[in-house]
Amino acid sequence: MISPALDDFVNKHRGNDISSERKKVLDQLTHHISHKVKNSEPINLNFICTHNSRRSHLSQIMAQTMASHFKIGNVNCYSGGTEATAVYPMVIETLRKIGFSVQQLSYGDNPIYAIKFAASEHPVIAFSKKFEDGFNPKKGFAAVMTCSHADENCPMVFGADERISITYNDPKAFDNSPLQAEKYLECAELIANEMHYVFQKVEQAG
């Protein structure tokens, strides 16, 4: 069960107001997951962007949350970059504002966080890493590209069953501006809305 603190957030983002063209993009991920469910195979999703600092983490966390919400089992969400940096602090602040429980496990240049969305589920362990890092799966996963730069500059993701491009605008453009908090929240809400759509369709497909 999703944490009560997240109930309003999840129920607010019900996959509404998504264009038909965008649904075609998202349906690639839906079909991948549904195929795995039908064949009782583990569902491993690795969300990839350049720095593994913003969009890839938000996508990983929202996908894992929506999988739990719709009771789609055997889903393991990961994230990585073409280079490692750090989870950007505004991402953590945004997740806390939404209602996620965040515990910082380590400090330094690349902190590690445990992000909880449900009392009975393992937390998402968030830190910046390359997509091929040993923390991530080596084979049998979908590589979900969340930024166009990584999509264009990462022509091969070895071990991936499928490569799917679901890109988002980078909220980094608003860093250190009066709109920063608002734009990070907008990005998180957009991703949540689309992951709700994906996993609801998987549930409906049975």
Side-chain angles (χ1 to χ4, degrees), residues 166-187:
I166 301 177
T167 61
Y168 297 98
N169 292 330
D170 194 351
K172 180 181 179 179
F174 298 93
D175 285 358
N176 303 312
S177 80
L179 294 175
Q180 183 181 37
E182 176 187 338
K183 293 300 181 179
Y184 272 77
L185 181 58
E186 281 183 8
C187 183

Side-chain angles (χ1 to χ4, degrees), residues 1-13 69 98:
M1 295 291 290
I2 294 296
S3 165
L6 285 170
D7 275 345
D8 288 345
F9 177 78
V10 170
N11 290 324
K12 177 182 176 183
H13 300 95
H69 175 68
I98 288 167

Side-chain angles (χ1 to χ4, degrees), residues 49 51-59 85-88 91 170-173 175 184 191:
C49 69
H51 299 112
N52 192 211
S53 57
R54 296 169 176 81
R55 290 163 288 178
S56 51
H57 277 108
L58 289 172
S59 299
T85 55
V87 181
Y88 193 67
V91 170
D170 194 351
K172 180 181 179 179
D175 285 358
Y184 272 77
I191 294 171

Side-chain angles (χ1 to χ4, degrees), residues 9 17 53 73 76 115 132 142:
F9 177 78
D17 301 320
S53 57
N76 303 291
I115 299 168
E132 69 266 43

